[in-house]
Amino acid sequence: MVTYRKFQFGWFIVCVFVIVIVFMTLGYIYQWGNSPIDIYSYIFFMTLLGLILLSFYGLTVVVNEEDVKIIFGIGLFTKKIKLHAVRSTSIVKYPVFAGYGIRFVQNGILYNVNGTEAVELKLTGKRDIILIGTDDAENLKNAIGKHLGSKHTI
């Protein structure tokens, strides 16, 4: 049973990609520059940018009794974290320059599409810390903590 589900739209990512796509389309239509882009390059880059945009336009976080699922965009990039592997959770702030998408940051791996707040999951095993960027940090932390039980510190 799903106890928490939240979708976040990545406004910054979408706006940047739309601007780049519009600029490249105008560049192709009006053949800007000394060496304008040909049709095959245009199709290749539009396909590539479209796939990246579909992959990272948003982030869905789902919490159930067994795991936490992090799903980017249409689901090409998905991470499943078993709750029995979570030692503790906390809310952290990180700088904007940490970036968006899947990022290696100073203290772990950040999954994010906007904002500067995340729920930090300290895990047992080789990957110690996972940060889930969210605009609903308190509710996400509480949903995860509800399933951790009294064995874990929250």
Side-chain angles (χ1 to χ4, degrees):
M1 180 175 137
V2 173
T3 57
Y4 178 89
R5 180 183 207 89
K6 174 80 175 177
F7 173 78
Q8 297 177 80
F9 190 75
W11 287 104
F12 181 76
I13 294 169
V14 171
C15 288
V16 167
F17 272 81
V18 166
I19 289 168
V20 170
I21 288 170
V22 167
F23 182 75
M24 285 187 68
T25 300
L26 290 173
Y28 171 72
I29 290 170
Y30 295 112
Q31 294 293 294
W32 291 339
N34 295 335
S35 178
I37 192 169
D38 64 0
I39 184 70
Y40 301 110
S41 298
Y42 175 73
I43 291 171
F44 172 76
F45 284 113
M46 288 299 111
T47 304
L48 180 66
L49 290 173
L51 284 173
I52 294 170
L53 184 57
L54 284 173
S55 297
F56 292 101
Y57 74 89
L59 176 71
T60 304
V61 179
V62 180
V63 178
N64 61 34
E65 294 89 8
E66 297 177 7
D67 51 39
V68 177
K69 290 181 189 171
I70 305 166
I71 306 161
F72 276 99
I74 58 173
L76 294 177
F77 299 98
T78 303
K79 174 74 175 172
K80 186 186 282 190
I81 304 155
K82 294 290 185 186
L83 286 175
H84 65 78
V86 177
R87 287 185 296 150
S88 67
T89 63
S90 61
I91 297 173
V92 297
K93 291 217 179 252
Y94 55 89
V96 173
F97 60 80
Y100 301 113
I102 302 169
R103 310 290 295 205
F104 291 99
V105 293
Q106 181 179 4
N107 57 342
I109 300 174
L110 170 65
Y111 297 87
N112 183 37
V113 293
N114 60 18
T116 60
E117 199 170 59
V119 173
E120 178 182 77
L121 305 177
K122 290 186 180 176
L123 307 175
T124 57
K126 58 184 173 180
R127 291 221 170 115
D128 288 331
I129 297 176
I130 292 182
L131 298 141
I132 304 170
T134 181
D135 56 0
D136 189 25
E138 193 64 40
N139 289 331
L140 176 57
K141 179 181 177 285
N142 291 338
I144 294 169
K146 193 184 321 181
H147 297 294
L148 292 182
S150 59
K151 296 182 200 176
H152 301 283
T153 57
I154 301 172

